[in-house]
Amino acid sequence: METTILDSGYVAPAVEALKAGQLVAFPTETVYGLGADGTNAAACQRIFEAKGRPQDNPLILHVLDKPGLMALTLGALPTSAEALVEAFWPGPLTVVVPANPDIPEVVRAGLNTVAVRSPNHPVARDLIEGLGRPIAAPSANLSGRPSPTEAAAVWEDMAGRIPLIIDGGSTQVGLESTVVDCTTTPPTLLRPGGIGLDLVASVVGEVALASGHGPVRAPGMKYRHYAPKSPVIWLDRTNSEAVEAALSILSRDYPNMAVIAPESLPEGLVGQYQSLGRDAVTAAHRLFQSIRYLDQLKPDAIVIVWESEEGLGLAVKNRIEKAATTRVRL
Ligand code: TXA
Ligand code: MG
């Protein structure tokens, strides 16, 4: 299959492709999505094939607004979903609600709930409006790889597998939406993301955390994720002396290692280095881009230094944890 890159100024061909049941990769404010007509089961099935995605991992439906959500829900909206939508839509917040049974099974992976979000990106919104239906879209990476935050990263994974990629430049947030299951009381954080847990809690009060034990409630969270080709080693502290000592030991085992770390660290490092900046918002924006960039240089390991759970720090930490082959506890 030939893959064409479209300029984001003219999305009409992409709307036509979606109407015809084809896949289109497009920018959102979080990461690039791989979209299909969310009412077309055969089109949605193509998403699983193009990504190599396990069939038991459900998709997020993207809508314009609350009426769009209501059409996908069964019965009244849970009060927590109501409050979250009011506070954060359009934006990087996904609610899981009871599903209208008309939604194709392949989208829900057979569950009786559905994940819905309203993206805050003009291209994503133009596509939903043009199609006149919800767009089903996971992140536009091969399953298990880092989510793409620019069109070149989508191309790296998806060229030859999908017909169209819309190039909207680099995405603003840089990692995926926060997913909250609103069918439980209190609501449950299934995936930390672009809206910090502190903000979610300020709107709904208590939030339960999906534990690592028992049944997996966001099926996607059980797989190794966000993984580049090189092994990833996570140093889970930012105390600079300890980090420098650990890096010096690691560099004996991995003479060609690359490092991703907050701006203050490390001093006097040799080799390839990408800065995560001074704060968690910047780190979220840069993380996947840095991992993909360094991976192309084929280092013998990528060492990531991160500790904070403040604001978007929790989501950054979650993505590093899922990408890591090894965690070094300092
Ligand atoms: O920011 C985002 O959310 C991006 C952009 C494209 O919107 N999308 C995204 O989709 O990250 P994906 O498929 O990579 O991640 C969706 C997550 C998965 O962990 C999946 O298991 C979970 O949401 N999920 C989807 N439907 C669910 C449901 N009914 N119940 C529980 N978890 C669900
Ligand atoms: Mg994904």
Side-chain angles (χ1 to χ4, degrees):
M1 181 184 301
E2 197 168 316
T3 304
T4 304
I5 300 195
L6 267 187
D7 187 89
S8 65
Y10 182 62
V11 301
V15 171
E16 290 316 306
L18 289 170
K19 285 183 178 163
Q22 294 178 333
L23 304 186
V24 174
F26 63 97
T28 82
E29 79 279 33
T30 57
V31 300
Y32 276 73
L34 180 59
D37 177 347
T39 66
N40 180 336
C44 292
Q45 178 55 34
R46 274 183 208 118
I47 291 176
F48 290 83
E49 282 146 25
K51 279 182 61 97
R53 183 180 179 94
Q55 209 71 42
D56 67 353
N57 193 2
L59 306 175
I60 295 174
L61 288 175
H62 296 71
V63 299
L64 285 177
D65 48 24
K66 188 170 151 192
L69 167 64
M70 295 307 296
L72 299 171
T73 314
L74 187 66
L77 208 54
T79 52
S80 56
E82 186 106 31
L84 289 169
V85 162
E86 181 67 35
F88 301 120
W89 277 19
L93 188 283
T94 297
V95 291
V96 172
V97 295
N100 181 324
D102 293 344
I103 298 167
E105 283 225 8
V106 60
V107 170
R108 297 177 275 125
L111 300 174
N112 57 11
T113 57
V114 64
V116 186
R117 98 170 177 100
S118 176
N120 187 13
H121 190 289
V123 172
R125 299 186 69 81
D126 284 353
L127 291 179
I128 300 166
E129 193 162 18
L131 178 64
R133 299 188 196 128
I135 294 180
S139 48
N141 50 280
L142 284 175
S143 198
R145 299 257 303 140
S147 299
T149 58
E150 46 196 5
V154 180
W155 177 270
E156 190 185 358
D157 281 15
M158 289 295 161
R161 293 172 168 265
I162 60 173
L164 281 180
I165 300 171
I166 303 176
D167 186 353
S170 162
T171 63
Q172 179 213 333
V173 179
L175 47 71
E176 305 87 339
S177 62
T178 301
V179 181
V180 180
D181 183 353
C182 296
T183 68
T184 61
T185 310
T188 307
L189 179 73
L190 298 182
R191 177 177 73 182
I195 301 283
L197 178 57
D198 46 342
L199 284 178
V200 172
S202 75
V203 168
V204 295
E206 195 187 347
V207 182
L209 301 183
S211 77
H213 312 284
V216 186
R217 279 189 283 187
M221 299 310 278
K222 75 185 175 198
Y223 300 104
R224 178 160 186 246
H225 249 167
Y226 317 116
K229 288 157 195 143
S230 313
V232 173
I233 300 169
W234 173 27
L235 297 189
D236 68 357
R237 288 286 181 276
T238 46
N239 169 293
S240 59
E241 275 170 30
V243 168
E244 277 173 41
L247 288 175
S248 123
I249 292 168
L250 283 169
S251 67
R252 288 181 222 153
D253 285 346
Y254 304 100
N256 188 29
M257 75 185 188
V259 175
I260 299 174
E263 191 171 295
S264 55
L265 289 163
E267 277 172 38
L269 227 206
V270 287
Q272 287 295 334
Y273 166 68
Q274 291 282 295
S275 167
L276 288 176
R278 290 167 189 270
D279 55 70
V281 171
T282 310
H285 178 74
R286 293 185 183 170
L287 177 67
F288 287 142
Q289 217 171 297
S290 303
I291 291 175
R292 279 192 184 255
Y293 170 74
L294 290 176
D295 202 35
Q296 286 181 338
L297 307 177
K298 301 192 178 17
D300 47 20
I302 298 175
V303 179
I304 309 182
V305 181
W306 189 259
E307 180 174 22
S308 166
E309 293 187 345
E310 292 286 303
L312 294 201
L314 185 65
V316 171
K317 189 169 178 169
N318 168 271
R319 303 308 188 268
I320 296 169
E321 192 169 13
K322 300 254 176 242
T325 37
T326 311
R327 173 177 183 174
V328 178
R329 291 171 200 265
L330 293 179

